[in-house]
Amino acid sequence: MPARVLIVAMSVDAVTDHAALAELAEVVGASVAYLQVGDPSLTKALDALAAEGATTVRLVRLPAHGPAPARSWLRRVAAHWVREHPGVEVEVVASAVTGREAPLESPAWEDLPGFRHHVLVCRGPRCSAKGSVETAQALSAALDSRGLGDDDVLVTQTGCLFPCNHAPVVAVHPDDAWYGPVHPADVDRLVEDHLIAGGRLEDLARPRSARAFGGTS
């Protein structure tokens, strides 16, 4: 059986282009997988190919156009799967994944970060379409310029957070503060007034509704 090709999207916002990626994969006779956020995950896609009888899978990394982990994570995650499926050969850029690559676990990742604030930046379809990638980039730059690392402010990019009509949405915990729309021009004020000074951006705040948000349509 010829090698099966799996296009792996690396960036957190790649799932917003799923239809285009699926069309590309169909044209070239490949499948699509996501290293993060999207479905199917890389391991799930490899499971499906193995179930179809594939003996060789060639991974093709899709260039990242947004926040993405280091390239080494593609091989690292693939190696994790290979160790559990020794009968399938997996290649990255024509180089075999041996299973001897670094594991997913590390003593350095055992403890919870000691952050003061956990900031969630929505990267769902609507927020991504309305510029959350630029908001996330501006937030990272603003924190870096002030010397604030993960032990001060831990930033996590997520799937849909709701409420989508206020995209791009940013939530700050443990303060239970929800803001939107948060554009790059708002980020310095968010960092200074809330994350450093402990106040709130009342003009951007979204109060919690008495009813639950419903659906994503």
Side-chain angles (χ1 to χ4, degrees):
M1 177 180 290
R4 301 292 297 273
V5 177
L6 188 56
I7 299 172
V8 185
M10 303 284 286
S11 65
V12 70
D13 59 337
V15 69
T16 61
D17 295 323
H18 179 75
L21 292 177
E23 183 177 349
L24 170 64
E26 183 177 0
V27 169
V28 300
S31 303
V32 175
Y34 296 91
L35 195 65
Q36 53 182 334
V37 179
D39 181 41
S41 66
L42 174 54
T43 54
K44 184 176 178 180
L46 287 169
D47 284 343
L49 292 177
E52 294 173 6
T55 56
T56 303
V57 180
R58 183 167 295 123
L59 305 183
V60 178
R61 180 181 60 84
L62 188 71
H65 297 291
R71 297 180 183 182
S72 61
W73 275 102
L74 175 58
R75 182 174 291 274
R76 196 166 189 158
V77 173
H80 170 75
W81 187 87
V82 164
R83 284 190 285 270
E84 298 178 352
H85 302 79
V88 181
E89 180 180 343
V90 177
E91 300 176 351
V92 179
V93 195
S95 175
V97 176
T98 66
R100 296 190 295 274
E101 291 82 357
L104 297 184
E105 297 80 15
S106 166
W109 304 326
E110 182 67 26
D111 299 325
L112 293 174
F115 53 84
R116 288 196 316 271
H117 290 101
H118 193 179
V119 179
L120 307 181
V121 180
C122 181
R123 296 302 308 278
R126 293 173 180 85
C127 285
S128 293
K130 292 192 173 183
S132 62
V133 61
E134 291 81 8
T135 298
Q137 290 169 347
L139 178 59
S140 177
L143 294 172
D144 286 346
S145 70
R146 292 164 174 83
L148 299 174
D150 289 348
D151 285 337
D152 302 296
V153 180
L154 180 63
V155 178
T156 302
Q157 300 189 50
T158 76
C160 183
L161 283 176
F162 303 108
C164 306
N165 287 348
H166 303 291
V169 174
V170 173
V172 181
H173 296 301
D175 302 342
D176 195 25
W178 295 69
Y179 295 123
V182 180
H183 300 296
D186 303 309
V187 165
D188 277 336
R189 195 157 54 95
L190 172 64
V191 173
E192 289 291 340
D193 294 357
H194 189 146
L195 301 179
I196 294 177
R200 300 246 179 165
L201 279 62
E202 297 300 339
D203 58 315
L204 297 180
R206 298 297 158 194
R208 185 175 296 282
S209 173
R211 65 177 180 80
F213 295 107
T216 58
S217 61

